[in-house]
Amino acid sequence: MIRAFDAFSLPVLRWLDPEDAHRLAIQGLRFLPPVKPRPDDPKLAVRAFGLNFPNPIGMAAGFDKSAEVPDALLRLGFGFVEIGSVTPKPQAGNPRPRLFRLERDEAVINRMGFNNDGAEAVLRRLAARAANGGIVGVNVGANKDSPDRVSDYVKLIETFAPVASYFTVNVSSPNTPGLRNLQEGALLDELLGRVIDARERVRQKAGDTPVLLKIAPDLSLAQLDDVVQVARSRKVDGMIVSNTTIARPSTLREEMRAKEQGGLSGRPLFRLSTRMVAETYVRVEGAFPLIGVGGVDSGGAALTKIRAGASLIQLYSSLVYKGLGLVDEIKRDLTSTLLRTGRDSLSEIVGADAATLTAEDWPGM
Ligand SMILES: Cc1cc2nc3c(=O)[nH]c(=O)nc-3n(C[C@H](O)[C@H](O)[C@H](O)COP(=O)(O)O)c2cc1C
């Protein structure tokens, strides 16, 4: 059914303005029949951050910013869904156009600017579906006009802890001016300290909700040293590597579109973000697991990310070009690789190539 849906919808959606297409896709998913997905091969199961993931493929943040369709996405076969970024107050985001397809590069540039319905509406939706189960993470961000951004994150942790499978502290979106400064050592230390404190405060009623940190691929290795050191000392439960890049590789073919301001994602982000997974993995030394995201568009790409150090994968941009059938395709490829190589689980190969990758020349961007 998904294939038929893709065959019909992909050409139509690609013909529309990208943001209209996205809205239509969300509306379409709302009407997805409530059929149970095929159960995943047990070999694809991953245990990380104290959670049991049925398979390692997640929907990345930014597709379902306001938690309108998490259950439909889970039914499509994702092992987990990350909603958000959510901010305390509703926010309109930047003026349109703010989402661009780079067709020939199989890439996307966005400068959405955290458009979302705000904490109150999103909490209502998540509370209404909480009994359905499944792993639904909540990605939190700060309002653009907030006088105290750290307090925004704290407020969101306290608000969402009862309904979040995990939290992602997003300090890496390029479209809220100054947000990425929160990745700087002392500021990050204060932010994570207060976020972890907030999680402890609500532990009684909400349990132990894992807190992950999502970083930009544009950090220097010296900055990454600091970020990982702070993340380890504040005892976060994991990191997500990476968000979109503000770099523009010289290889991009859609030269006019490439000039648009915003974060670049999709295929041209793959090498840089995978290198950053490997660089993070060798610095983390097994202290916590990583989620690898950026340009995953096939089973092979997912496997490369895992071998670079990712225990779990997320994707977004490739769905624009390949359709929702991609999720099943990647899962099938991963299962057959496990079968072919006689392994019982993906955990056996997490990070297998990290050391080799970090010794290679830096990926040209
Ligand atoms: C349109 C769009 C909106 C996004 N919004 C968010 C967001 O709100 N919060 C966030 O942490 N990441 C956001 N992202 C980044 C993705 O979660 C992901 O990190 C990035 O796109 C790289 O993955 P991909 O190459 O598979 O798309 C967004 C990406 C796109 C394309």
Side-chain angles (χ1 to χ4, degrees), residues 22 59-63 65 82 84-86 98-99 108-112 114-115 139-140 168 170-173 175 214-215 240-244 263-267 269-270 273 293-296 314-319:
H22 174 255
M59 180 77 232
F63 179 80
K65 284 179 185 269
E82 187 167 314
S85 295
V86 185
R98 54 190 179 176
L99 181 58
V108 171
I109 289 177
N110 92 83
R111 51 168 179 270
M112 305 299 286
F114 284 172
N115 56 310
N139 179 309
V140 293
T168 299
N170 177 17
V171 286
S172 46
S173 284
N175 304 311
K214 183 168 178 178
I215 61 167
I240 303 188
V241 187
S242 71
N243 216 308
T244 56
L264 173 74
S265 56
R267 183 172 276 201
L269 175 59
F270 181 73
S273 60
V293 48
V296 173
Q314 290 177 324
L315 48 85
Y316 181 170
S317 302
S318 55
L319 295 177

Side-chain angles (χ1 to χ4, degrees), residues 288-317:
F288 46 68
L290 307 180
I291 300 182
V293 48
V296 173
D297 60 359
S298 65
L303 213 58
T304 304
K305 261 321 179 216
I306 293 168
R307 296 185 66 95
S311 295
L312 297 156
I313 301 292
Q314 290 177 324
L315 48 85
Y316 181 170
S317 302

Side-chain angles (χ1 to χ4, degrees), residues 140 150-162 167 169 190-209 211 234:
V140 293
V150 174
S151 295
D152 279 14
Y153 289 92
V154 168
K155 236 182 284 173
L156 291 164
I157 300 287
E158 290 170 347
T159 307
F160 283 98
F167 282 113
V169 175
E190 193 211 330
L191 171 66
L192 290 181
R194 288 194 49 200
V195 160
I196 298 286
D197 279 352
R199 191 262 307 268
E200 297 308 309
R201 270 198 303 282
V202 292
R203 184 187 231 140
Q204 280 274 308
K205 63 169 185 185
D208 210 356
T209 318
V211 171
R234 288 296 179 185

